[in-house]
Amino acid sequence: MPPTTPYAGKFSSCAPYGNNNNNHPQPQSPYRSNSVPKPGRENVYNGAFSAADNPYDVPQHHGAYRSASVSSVTAKEHRYVSENPYSSPPPHSPRQHSTSCPGRAYRHTTSSSSGSEQSCRNNNATAAAKVRLYGHGITASYGEMCYHDNSLVSASLEALIQHLVPTVDYYPDRSYVFTFLLSSRLFLHPYELMTRVCHLCVEQQRSGDALLDKIRFREVAPKLVQLLTEWTETFPYDFRDERMMRCLKDMTHHVARGDEYSWRAMQQMTQRLIKRLSALGQYEEAVAALNAVAMERPASLKSKQGSAQRNDVLSVCDDPFVLAQQLTHIELDRLSFIGPEEFIQTFAMKDPLENHKGFFRKRKTSNLEAYVNWFNRLSYLVATEICMPVKKKHRARIIEFFIDVAQECFNIGNFNSLMAIITGMNMSPVARLKKTWNKVNTDKFEILEHQMDPSSNFSNYRTALRGATQRSETAHSSQEKIVIPFFSLLIKDIYFLNEGCASRLPNGHINFEKLWELAKQVSEFLVWRQVICPFDRDRRILQYLVTTPVFSEDELHLASYESEGPENNMEKDSRRSLRSAWLWATAAGEGNSD
């Protein structure tokens, strides 16, 4: 008996597919009733997806930390630095603050606190604050940093770098640290930023007196270590660049001369970083090996004999809920290795030194690309499983099975696998199998398609995602914490946010409002990716999902034509050309093997 799904009354768990399920009563379409769905398993679709009843759209209270005042959150963050500057920073999230945008705890501090912080950063007499009144707020300039209603909106690059540098009596807000470290790569290489920050931190303590300099650096060393700890914990992949590692090593030696306690903290931080980078290297090698296995065993075209010899998904797993659980394992495993900076580096400035020997010589967005490739593989796997069987009855059973798997993915909160399954079932070679689809009750599928409808910029999906996020915030079990977004749409949102807003203003300042919004999008992803999958692993199913051969697009079309013959001259011409190309490729492959 599988565990209860997190939305009892939305979808029920599906029966195993050991036998033909066509005789089971079909659920009523949600568009034919306004009744509220009940928790029972016998009435799972009535009223689903209405604005009032969608379980993803039920308003839920936020945790206590949501109601805490901004000032108390800010004070807590500064105590965190002073009390234990070497502890690993907790995962950053905009939900740690009382507003939706990351950094608001810093941005919305009182005018006096903002002014006092700025006085630490701008001790030059020419950096006096300039305040201007507008109809809807106050804009204040402190040197080269501009605030609106105490929110940082723009600044020069030099001022932003200076604002990141800790001093004896100042440490930047963690939200600012995350936001600037994330998006600074739009303007300069992380190695250049780290070099300048470390140089400024050391130079600011120089007074000409060697003994006084040592005392002052000893006081600031814990805060410098804390900044580097946040950097290595949140953006560890920056340190795949050997120049970053060399700079970190140099700072470790520098800290060792002034403070033994800080030096030990630097050593521990470096060990954690190396362990993380080692795990990343092992993960990438494992993904490459799995992909190689799938490529070494190309799928042969369907025949009655070949189909009988080949295992299908139902022979490996006949329970939709279990398969959805294993898909969730794969999704969370691959999500956990995507660095937040990869979202920004997809459109960041080209590194003039990109040919420089890296720490592991890996591409800067390889994990993000691997995750997108997994989505494509799952879509093609679904289409392959449907087009492979010879018998129409078997194809219909597999379609129904994948519909129920998609349903369970929705219940779990795994929107990426849900969309991949829907995409595979909507591929042309599958969609044209009209005789097969006539044997399938499509009520469930229509419900799921409605939920992921791309119209109005995926408004239905975005409503469901907000509800899943609220459920995660107030979760009472690890299963309820799972939120796996439709990843391609997340990338698209970040891309258009970057393209739709200028990075620099006409006066040359950095548009920091844009950086806040980028950080808001990415920091939410960081919360989602840290969830540990609570389900038991089934290695046999996992191995099948990631290594079983799948058809190419041309092979899918040809397999589809063999399942249900061409219906018009265009399809006949398409089958003829595909078959000729396949025969030529097969002959060429046999010739090469000889």
Side-chain angles (χ1 to χ4, degrees):
M1 183 74 176
T4 304
T5 58
Y7 304 113
K10 174 65 188 81
F11 284 127
S12 67
S13 296
C14 305
Y17 273 64
N19 301 314
N20 194 326
N21 284 5
N22 290 338
N23 295 327
H24 289 286
Q26 298 293 343
Q28 183 178 351
S29 170
Y31 309 109
R32 301 172 188 164
S33 173
N34 294 324
S35 61
V36 177
K38 300 179 181 179
R41 299 170 60 89
E42 70 281 356
N43 187 21
V44 293
Y45 286 100
N46 294 340
F49 296 119
S50 67
D53 301 332
N54 188 342
Y56 278 119
D57 199 27
V58 176
Q60 300 190 32
H61 68 278
H62 300 291
Y65 58 86
R66 300 277 291 178
S67 60
S69 66
V70 175
S71 59
S72 65
V73 175
T74 307
K76 181 179 180 181
E77 289 178 350
H78 283 281
R79 289 197 302 273
Y80 163 77
V81 172
S82 60
E83 291 172 359
N84 187 9
Y86 307 114
S87 62
S88 300
H92 174 85
S93 167
R95 291 189 293 277
Q96 293 171 350
H97 308 306
S98 60
T99 56
S100 60
C101 183
R104 291 291 175 85
Y106 165 71
R107 298 166 66 191
H108 286 228
T109 51
T110 62
S111 300
S112 59
S113 63
S114 177
S116 63
E117 287 185 359
Q118 289 305 318
S119 64
C120 297
R121 319 301 301 145
N122 301 283
N123 50 15
N124 192 316
T126 61
K130 299 178 181 179
V131 180
R132 298 184 298 275
L133 294 177
Y134 288 94
H136 299 286
I138 300 176
T139 297
S141 297
Y142 299 92
E144 295 185 325
M145 304 187 73
C146 182
Y147 292 78
H148 183 70
D149 287 346
N150 301 316
S151 301
L152 179 60
V153 294
S154 68
S156 66
L157 182 59
E158 292 297 328
L160 293 174
I161 295 174
Q162 180 68 41
H163 200 58
L164 187 65
V165 179
T167 65
V168 174
D169 54 0
Y170 166 80
Y171 187 84
D173 183 86
R174 290 191 61 241
S175 299
Y176 175 82
V177 173
F178 173 78
T179 300
F180 189 58
L181 290 181
L182 173 69
S183 297
S184 61
R185 62 200 73 233
L186 291 171
F187 314 103
L188 75 168
H189 193 278
Y191 166 70
E192 183 181 358
L193 175 61
M194 184 175 181
T195 301
R196 293 169 70 173
V197 168
C198 292
H199 175 76
L200 285 171
C201 189
V202 173
E203 288 300 315
Q204 286 179 356
Q205 313 312 317
R206 296 191 186 278
S207 63
D209 185 322
L211 180 59
L212 179 60
D213 290 351
K214 185 176 181 179
I215 294 174
R216 293 180 63 178
F217 186 77
R218 183 179 300 171
E219 292 177 346
V220 79
K223 294 183 179 180
L224 175 61
V225 175
Q226 172 64 14
L227 178 64
L228 294 176
T229 299
E230 292 193 36
W231 197 330
T232 57
E233 293 285 345
T234 311
F235 303 97
Y237 302 166
D238 284 348
F239 294 85
R240 303 186 91 176
D241 185 340
E242 65 180 14
R243 297 169 296 173
M244 294 283 287
M245 292 298 290
R246 188 165 54 247
C247 184
L248 189 64
K249 183 178 180 180
D250 291 342
M251 285 308 302
T252 300
H253 291 319
H254 194 87
V255 168
R257 294 196 296 266
D259 183 8
E260 181 180 357
Y261 186 64
S262 296
W263 173 76
R264 290 179 180 176
M266 287 283 287
Q267 292 287 90
Q268 295 171 0
M269 174 191 68
T270 304
Q271 291 173 4
R272 291 194 301 269
L273 173 62
I274 292 175
K275 183 177 180 181
R276 173 64 175 171
L277 293 178
S278 176
L280 173 63
Q282 293 174 7
Y283 160 75
E284 290 179 337
E285 291 175 1
V287 170
L290 291 172
N291 292 339
V293 169
M295 294 300 294
E296 287 174 358
R297 297 163 49 223
S300 60
L301 283 176
K302 182 184 61 175
S303 64
K304 291 185 178 180
Q305 181 179 1
S307 178
Q309 295 175 351
R310 180 188 184 276
N311 289 333
D312 64 13
V313 66
L314 291 179
S315 67
V316 177
C317 176
D318 63 357
D319 188 332
F321 188 70
V322 172
L323 189 66
Q325 289 178 331
Q326 303 312 305
L327 289 173
T328 303
H329 265 296
I330 297 174
E331 298 280 355
L332 289 174
D333 285 346
R334 301 202 174 196
L335 273 182
S336 68
F337 283 97
I338 297 176
E341 71 283 353
E342 294 191 46
F343 293 97
I344 307 301
Q345 287 170 171
T346 56
F347 45 76
M349 58 182 292
K350 183 178 180 180
D351 180 10
L353 300 176
E354 65 178 3
N355 294 325
H356 189 280
K357 182 180 177 182
F359 192 61
F360 287 110
R361 295 186 177 183
K362 298 294 183 181
R363 290 178 295 173
K364 294 181 178 179
T365 59
S366 58
N367 300 302
L368 187 148
E369 293 170 11
Y371 190 58
V372 173
N373 291 337
W374 155 249
F375 178 95
N376 295 333
R377 172 181 168 76
L378 180 55
S379 296
Y380 274 84
L381 175 61
V382 170
T384 299
E385 293 288 341
I386 294 173
C387 291
M388 175 67 73
V390 175
K391 295 183 179 180
K392 177 171 52 179
K393 180 180 180 181
H394 193 186
R395 292 195 300 272
R397 284 179 58 204
I398 291 182
I399 289 177
E400 291 176 341
F401 175 74
F402 275 116
I403 291 174
D404 288 336
V405 173
Q407 163 189 312
E408 297 294 356
C409 287
F410 180 87
N411 288 346
I412 291 172
N414 181 357
F415 297 105
N416 201 58
S417 291
L418 165 62
M419 192 62 181
I421 293 171
I422 291 176
T423 300
M425 298 179 74
N426 278 320
M427 292 179 70
S428 177
V430 177
R432 65 170 299 278
L433 299 176
K434 296 180 181 178
K435 296 178 182 178
T436 302
W437 280 99
N438 285 338
K439 299 182 73 67
V440 177
N441 187 298
T442 59
D443 279 354
K444 300 178 184 179
F445 189 57
E446 290 171 359
I447 290 171
L448 295 169
E449 282 192 308
H450 174 77
Q451 193 63 48
M452 303 302 290
D453 186 356
S455 63
S456 302
N457 195 20
F458 288 88
S459 61
N460 292 339
Y461 158 71
R462 294 182 189 277
T463 298
L465 181 64
R466 285 194 300 271
T469 302
Q470 290 179 354
R471 177 203 64 180
S472 178
E473 292 175 354
T474 58
H476 299 291
S477 67
S478 55
Q479 180 175 333
E480 292 178 341
K481 294 180 181 179
I482 297 173
V483 181
I484 303 175
F486 173 28
F487 197 69
S488 296
L489 185 60
L490 176 62
I491 296 174
K492 175 185 172 184
D493 288 343
I494 295 175
Y495 173 81
F496 280 108
L497 174 59
N498 178 70
E499 293 296 312
C501 301
S503 297
R504 288 187 183 269
L505 302 179
N507 63 357
H509 278 193
I510 305 298
N511 180 5
F512 212 80
E513 286 187 299
K514 172 182 174 177
L515 305 194
W516 288 127
E517 293 304 319
L518 287 172
K520 175 184 177 181
Q521 296 262 10
V522 175
S523 61
E524 193 165 37
F525 160 79
L526 292 184
V527 177
W528 295 332
R529 77 164 190 179
Q530 73 179 354
V531 174
I532 304 299
C533 190
F535 307 121
D536 293 334
R537 287 179 179 269
D538 188 312
R539 295 190 178 278
R540 180 167 176 256
I541 299 175
L542 291 172
Q543 185 76 6
Y544 183 87
L545 290 172
V546 298
T547 63
T548 192
V550 298
F551 282 156
S552 67
E553 187 171 359
D554 286 347
E555 289 171 336
L556 280 174
H557 278 285
L558 198 50
S560 178
Y561 290 140
E562 291 191 10
S563 295
E564 296 185 17
E567 295 183 349
N568 51 53
N569 291 332
M570 182 179 297
E571 289 189 347
K572 291 179 181 179
D573 292 340
S574 175
R575 182 178 67 170
R576 188 180 303 113
S577 62
L578 287 171
R579 180 172 291 176
S580 299
W582 177 74
L583 291 173
W584 180 88
T586 302
E590 292 176 352
N592 292 334
S593 63
D594 293 339

